[in-house]
Amino acid sequence: MDRLKLILALLLFSFAKNNLLAKNNKAYSEKNNAIKENVYISINSNVALTGERLYFSLICVKNNNTYSDLSKIAYVELINDSKEVVKRQKLSLNDGKSQSFFFIPSDFKTGNYKIVGYTNWMLDSNDIELNAINISIINTYQPLQLKEKQFQKVSIDLTNNIIDEKTKLSFLNKKTYSKRELVKLSMDNLIKLNPSSNYSLKVYKKDSLTDFFNQSTGLKNEKIKLIKKTTEKPISEIRGEIITGKITSKQKNIDLKNIDLAVTITNKTSFIKIIQTNHLGHFGFSIENLSENSNLLIQILNDDYDKYDIELNTTDYLDYSSLQFESFNINASLNKSLEKRSISNQIENAYIESKKDSIKSVQEFREFLKLDNIYNLEDYTRFKSLKETLKEIIPHAYYKKIGKKNTIQISDNTKDYDSNSPTLIIIDGIYIQDADELFNYNFDNVKSIGVKRDGYLLGSKIFNGILWIETISGDYEPNNNFVVKKEILRPSPELVYFKPDYSQSSSSRIPDYRLQLLWIPRVKTDDKEIFFYTSDLEGDYEIVMEEITSTGLRKIYTDSFEVK
């Protein structure tokens, strides 16, 4: 790597830092100009049984009634009537929109719950006002006290606690369908969809249980006022998710400033950064690429790694002690509906492997590295050691002893250039700071080796080339004491929701006890027809399209049909 490349790399690094500062300055400038965000949530059902999935869609809008382009991350929390957060999700916002689900486990107690959504941007205030959805959860594996429903009035803000409009529409060209029949919903010329609104669509089986809870809780949007547990202000996530933490010294009089850390999230979408602490030992970094992996590996990049402890900051900011819940009572006449729904749910879960929602694919991190060569070791005579593999297969990589340590060197693309910079070594996405551990590794387990022969800037460190190693199993475990593993909350991946296709005979023998025939978290404004199949369950079904406007108004459009 010649001097020109080095200067260019440093300029790019400087530009990246300035660009980050510019974006943060823009964010704080807009905060000072009273730009606010609001989060609104739509759900697929206001009552859920244990073993079911509670699906939701989310929109984040600014107070000028446009989708927010500020926050890139939102949070959704499920709170029980003991004011405890029992589920939390982190979501990536795409043009201010996102969607996911909560699985309701068998240890949840029966009662009333609230779903709350927010961004870190919304928590940068002493007076926090959020929107909450009221739902009920029933654990059919635990004894229920069935009696007449009695409402206990509580003092809550009922602003926006109603459906603003409910309109009956005709989505269908007929009202009766047979089992496993194709249903076509006509959207064309039905209503003119507002591009500034979000539309969710669900089709579900009506019974006395859903009717009962529709009357009691509905799809109500309650405004709640909260305070934070701490005076600490979370960082607004305007570039991507932000992870913060600190290192502390196990001994006195050890400087915590400018300690280099390597942070890695391993996966096909591997994330690697080198960061530095400030004078207090605090550190932070943003994650721009998506990955469902929640395992964070942190390495202190000096020989005194054992003199420090590493802690990550909590994301548990909100105090829910002031929330109020209605008392939960359920009518004894619903026992039969509960039993039928529970049986249907158990049958569906028994065949869940053939009915799984799929995850949208994300781009591999390696594509950004633009490796010069990738050597698939199956195409060559295999060697058990790294030394033999480099010597016999990888022409531009070699090992070298420096003192008592083994190192790996990459010959630069520039002829006769000799750099003192180290090689960046990555195996299954994990940063390797001591190459010695690879010299004892069995390379029969390695699938491929990639090489980049130019300089590479990672954080404040310059590397002379990259050696990228992928094992066959893809789960390399570091064999050292300086890698610290931490579990972090990651954004939920975007899902493609399962819909059976009975034009294919392969599904015909699998029981279909779906109570919810369709859930679309975001209906596209150019959709003209929407298709789905009925299930094996006879009865009355309801079609509900919910519109949430950019001002938070809720409008409902409904239709119904029967399956015989």
Side-chain angles (χ1 to χ4, degrees), residues 364-558:
E364 289 192 15
F365 175 77
R366 192 181 69 182
E367 294 179 16
F368 297 99
L369 293 178
K370 296 181 180 177
L371 299 171
D372 295 325
N373 303 97
I374 297 176
Y375 302 90
N376 188 342
L377 298 193
E378 284 298 318
D379 298 336
Y380 301 86
T381 301
R382 279 191 169 275
F383 300 91
K384 288 185 177 295
S385 72
L386 173 60
K387 286 183 179 181
E388 291 173 302
T389 302
L390 293 180
K391 183 178 179 180
E392 302 296 337
I393 299 176
I394 315 298
H396 303 292
Y398 58 96
Y399 61 92
K400 184 178 180 182
K401 198 91 169 179
I402 301 180
K404 294 183 179 180
K405 286 186 173 293
N406 288 301
T407 65
I408 298 174
Q409 307 290 320
I410 303 290
S411 59
D412 196 272
N413 274 326
T414 303
K415 189 177 180 181
D416 298 327
Y417 177 80
D418 187 19
S419 171
N420 293 322
S421 299
T423 298
L424 174 60
I425 306 170
I426 300 168
I427 178 168
D428 287 344
I430 300 172
Y431 174 86
I432 301 296
Q433 62 170 305
D434 186 353
D436 272 337
E437 70 176 273
L438 296 182
F439 282 83
N440 296 318
Y441 185 70
N442 186 352
F443 265 64
D444 279 343
N445 299 325
V446 170
K447 176 184 175 183
S448 64
I449 298 177
V451 174
K452 179 178 175 63
R453 299 180 58 205
D454 282 318
Y456 190 78
L457 186 68
L458 188 60
S460 59
K461 289 188 174 297
I462 296 176
F463 295 90
N464 189 57
I466 299 171
L467 191 75
W468 181 283
I469 303 171
E470 289 188 16
T471 67
I472 295 171
S473 59
D475 56 0
Y476 179 81
E477 284 289 335
N479 184 24
N480 56 61
N481 298 320
F482 42 79
V483 176
V484 178
K485 294 183 180 181
K486 297 286 185 179
E487 188 83 10
I488 59 173
L489 181 66
R490 297 303 318 283
S492 300
E494 188 168 353
L495 298 175
V496 178
Y497 296 100
F498 171 78
K499 289 195 299 182
D501 181 359
Y502 290 124
S503 63
Q504 307 286 329
S505 59
S506 59
S507 319
S508 59
R509 294 184 180 181
I510 299 175
D512 188 347
Y513 278 64
R514 288 175 300 130
L515 296 163
Q516 179 174 286
L517 303 182
L518 183 68
W519 165 251
I520 300 178
R522 295 191 296 271
V523 178
K524 297 177 182 178
T525 54
D526 57 352
D527 282 340
K528 298 186 182 299
E529 280 190 322
I530 294 175
F531 306 90
F532 64 91
Y533 282 88
T534 60
S535 66
D536 294 338
L537 300 178
E538 298 178 349
D540 294 323
Y541 288 79
E542 185 160 23
I543 303 167
V544 178
M545 184 164 70
E546 180 181 4
E547 174 187 3
I548 302 181
T549 70
S550 56
T551 60
L553 297 178
R554 293 174 182 263
K555 302 178 182 181
I556 297 294
Y557 308 94
T558 67

Side-chain angles (χ1 to χ4, degrees), residues 270-406:
S270 294
F271 166 88
I272 303 169
K273 279 189 177 180
I274 291 178
I275 57 176
Q276 285 186 335
T277 60
N278 66 10
H279 65 289
L280 297 174
H282 294 182
F283 62 86
F285 57 94
S286 63
I287 305 175
E288 292 83 16
N289 68 308
L290 293 177
S291 166
E292 67 269 24
N293 196 339
S294 59
N295 294 319
L296 175 67
L297 305 182
I298 308 177
Q299 304 178 52
I300 293 177
L301 303 184
N302 66 38
D303 294 333
D304 296 328
Y305 62 87
D306 57 342
K307 296 179 181 179
Y308 304 93
D309 286 320
I310 301 173
E311 300 174 17
L312 295 183
N313 294 334
T314 179
T315 56
D316 187 17
Y317 293 109
L318 292 171
D319 181 357
Y320 290 114
S321 61
S322 62
L323 289 184
Q324 294 176 302
F325 292 80
E326 290 182 348
S327 60
F328 182 90
N329 294 294
I330 188 168
N331 196 308
S333 63
L334 300 177
N335 191 39
K336 194 170 184 180
S337 289
L338 275 171
E339 183 179 347
K340 287 183 177 180
R341 179 161 169 174
S342 180
I343 291 172
S344 296
N345 183 40
Q346 292 178 52
I347 293 173
E348 282 296 287
N349 284 336
Y351 291 89
I352 192 64
E353 288 301 318
S354 61
K355 301 183 179 186
K356 275 186 176 180
D357 299 328
S358 57
I359 297 173
K360 285 191 175 180
S361 61
V362 293
Q363 192 176 27
E364 289 192 15
F365 175 77
R366 192 181 69 182
E367 294 179 16
F368 297 99
L369 293 178
K370 296 181 180 177
L371 299 171
D372 295 325
N373 303 97
I374 297 176
Y375 302 90
N376 188 342
L377 298 193
E378 284 298 318
D379 298 336
Y380 301 86
T381 301
R382 279 191 169 275
F383 300 91
K384 288 185 177 295
S385 72
L386 173 60
K387 286 183 179 181
E388 291 173 302
T389 302
L390 293 180
K391 183 178 179 180
E392 302 296 337
I393 299 176
I394 315 298
H396 303 292
Y398 58 96
Y399 61 92
K400 184 178 180 182
K401 198 91 169 179
I402 301 180
K404 294 183 179 180
K405 286 186 173 293
N406 288 301

Side-chain angles (χ1 to χ4, degrees), residues 182-211:
L182 180 65
V183 181
K184 297 180 182 180
L185 299 185
S186 175
M187 309 295 292
D188 197 21
N189 299 323
L190 190 63
I191 57 170
K192 188 174 182 180
L193 298 184
N194 185 347
S196 64
S197 293
N198 186 72
Y199 297 85
S200 61
L201 181 64
K202 63 182 178 181
V203 180
Y204 64 93
K205 189 176 185 296
K206 293 181 62 178
D207 56 23
S208 55
L209 185 68
T210 54
D211 289 342

